[in-house]
Amino acid sequence: MTGLAELMLELKTRSGMSYGALAKRLHVSTSTLHRYCSGEATPVEFAVVERFGKVCKATPEEQAELHRRWLVVDALRQQAAPCHEPHPPEAPPREAAAIPRPRVRPRPGWILAASTAALLLAGAVLAADLRQEAPSAHVSAAETTPLAVTVNPYAWPDPCTPRYLVNRPPSQVQAPPAGQEAPTWVAAHGAVTSGDQLIEIAVQGTGAEAVVLHSIRVRVAASDPALPWNDYLMRFRDVGCGGPLTPRGFEVDLDAARPIATPGAKQRGFPLKVDVSDPEVLMVTARSTMRDVRWFLELEWSSGARRGLLRIDDAGAPFHVSGARGRPSYDYSLDAHKWMNRTDR
């Protein structure tokens, strides 16, 4: 039984509901729900797991743990199957690596509120090589590296808070995308993440030995004055979003003289250990209010006598985020079918 199944069974038992009654509220069959709780199957969509937690009255902490365990199980499940993923026409294709990416699925409550909203985007699958200098995570050399890394540079914590700076007037900007369409939308508009940038990183061992993760370092490639562009909030005006998940993660202040990754309240600090059957999902939120920053991460690891630094970036390019303080800010009106200044309420 997987860790996800164990927690689902615990919540189901605590709820006092039968499989039949619970399955009816989740809109799945009784046999399917039983397979989820016994570990024989895993929901393809996280939305099913989230709805399960809500019906069983899971606490916010339990919901976050359901989310973490689903990410881990989903990544392991995909490892056994080839990844056939379409690439958006405007964005460059990503290189396939040792394991496919973990996918974070749309949350149903938000879809009920706004059908185009989604939770998170799945990212580019990347692998790493050990070099004298820190290698980039997009380099594929699975035969020599003890780690396989999945990087999602377009992760959304929820469909209401992501923001992008675009150097266009509102009349030339398309409506907010669903989370999984963010790369296409960003490429089409030349957009840059505004304010907070969430990076989702799944790290898994590939060899017989466990790999110890010692630290994660923040490297700034360039820091300039914030972009003087319009700020577009990926939400629909007057549409509720519900409360976002609060996954474990690290926080980075990119406006600091020497940015560092600080563990959040629910994130275990380093060292961390991973192996083939026990990956680790790291969520890194980098913030800037005053600067236009290009940055990347370096993950320090060891396995037996081997040590190295693994560069984590956006398919070979630095991550990119800019502050938006004082910039015109817009959200989208479903009634008017256009972007509207957030002060016009």
Side-chain angles (χ1 to χ4, degrees), residues 152-153 155 157 161-163 192-201 216-220 249-256 259-262 282-291 293-297 318-324:
N152 176 4
T161 58
R163 295 154 48 207
V192 173
T193 302
S194 171
D196 289 10
Q197 184 171 32
L198 176 62
I199 309 297
E200 181 185 273
I201 307 162
I216 193 165
R217 306 173 186 176
V218 182
R219 302 300 188 195
V220 175
F250 295 86
E251 299 181 355
V252 178
D253 179 6
L254 291 174
D255 292 334
I260 61 173
T262 304
L282 306 177
M283 312 292 279
V284 179
T285 300
R287 297 183 175 90
S288 179
T289 59
M290 306 296 294
R291 308 293 295 174
V293 184
R294 297 177 187 271
W295 63 286
F296 59 92
L297 297 166
F319 304 122
H320 191 186
V321 61
S322 176

Side-chain angles (χ1 to χ4, degrees), residues 145-233:
T145 182
L147 289 174
V149 177
T150 300
V151 180
N152 176 4
Y154 298 98
W156 285 16
D158 59 68
C160 289
T161 58
R163 295 154 48 207
Y164 294 101
L165 289 166
V166 180
N167 192 22
R168 298 185 187 182
S171 61
Q172 297 179 15
V173 177
Q174 300 171 11
Q180 66 268 22
E181 301 298 331
T184 302
W185 192 96
V186 168
H189 294 83
V192 173
T193 302
S194 171
D196 289 10
Q197 184 171 32
L198 176 62
I199 309 297
E200 181 185 273
I201 307 162
V203 185
Q204 183 177 21
T206 59
E209 290 186 301
V211 182
V212 178
L213 310 179
H214 295 279
S215 67
I216 193 165
R217 306 173 186 176
V218 182
R219 302 300 188 195
V220 175
S223 180
D224 300 300
L227 295 171
W229 298 353
N230 290 330
D231 188 25
Y232 294 92
L233 181 63

Side-chain angles (χ1 to χ4, degrees), residues 61-317:
E61 291 76 15
E62 290 169 335
Q63 284 280 28
E65 183 62 16
L66 282 170
H67 181 217
R68 187 190 72 83
R69 295 190 187 191
W70 180 86
L71 284 172
V72 171
V73 173
D74 192 55
L76 291 174
R77 175 184 58 194
Q78 293 182 68
Q79 184 181 10
C83 182
H84 303 289
E85 189 148 348
H87 299 288
E90 298 84 356
R94 310 288 188 176
E95 294 185 15
I99 62 169
R101 65 188 188 181
R103 295 170 294 172
V104 184
R105 302 297 184 175
R107 302 179 71 180
W110 296 329
I111 293 177
L112 291 175
S115 61
T116 58
L119 174 64
L120 292 173
L121 164 74
V125 180
L126 309 171
D129 188 14
L130 176 63
R131 306 281 180 85
Q132 290 183 349
E133 296 181 359
S136 173
H138 75 282
V139 177
S140 179
E143 68 276 9
T144 61
T145 182
L147 289 174
V149 177
T150 300
V151 180
N152 176 4
Y154 298 98
W156 285 16
D158 59 68
C160 289
T161 58
R163 295 154 48 207
Y164 294 101
L165 289 166
V166 180
N167 192 22
R168 298 185 187 182
S171 61
Q172 297 179 15
V173 177
Q174 300 171 11
Q180 66 268 22
E181 301 298 331
T184 302
W185 192 96
V186 168
H189 294 83
V192 173
T193 302
S194 171
D196 289 10
Q197 184 171 32
L198 176 62
I199 309 297
E200 181 185 273
I201 307 162
V203 185
Q204 183 177 21
T206 59
E209 290 186 301
V211 182
V212 178
L213 310 179
H214 295 279
S215 67
I216 193 165
R217 306 173 186 176
V218 182
R219 302 300 188 195
V220 175
S223 180
D224 300 300
L227 295 171
W229 298 353
N230 290 330
D231 188 25
Y232 294 92
L233 181 63
M234 300 292 106
R235 66 164 295 165
F236 296 94
R237 177 173 291 216
D238 300 325
V239 173
C241 292
L245 288 172
T246 306
R248 301 184 306 169
F250 295 86
E251 299 181 355
V252 178
D253 179 6
L254 291 174
D255 292 334
R258 294 182 177 179
I260 61 173
T262 304
K266 297 181 180 180
Q267 172 64 53
R268 290 184 295 128
F270 291 102
L272 302 170
K273 183 181 292 186
V274 298
D275 57 32
V276 172
S277 61
D278 188 18
E280 185 75 29
V281 178
L282 306 177
M283 312 292 279
V284 179
T285 300
R287 297 183 175 90
S288 179
T289 59
M290 306 296 294
R291 308 293 295 174
D292 173 28
V293 184
R294 297 177 187 271
W295 63 286
F296 59 92
L297 297 166
E298 289 178 345
L299 183 64
E300 181 185 6
W301 61 267
S302 68
S303 180
R306 304 172 64 189
R307 299 184 68 90
L309 283 178
L310 177 67
R311 172 166 164 155
I312 298 173
D313 56 27
D314 185 2

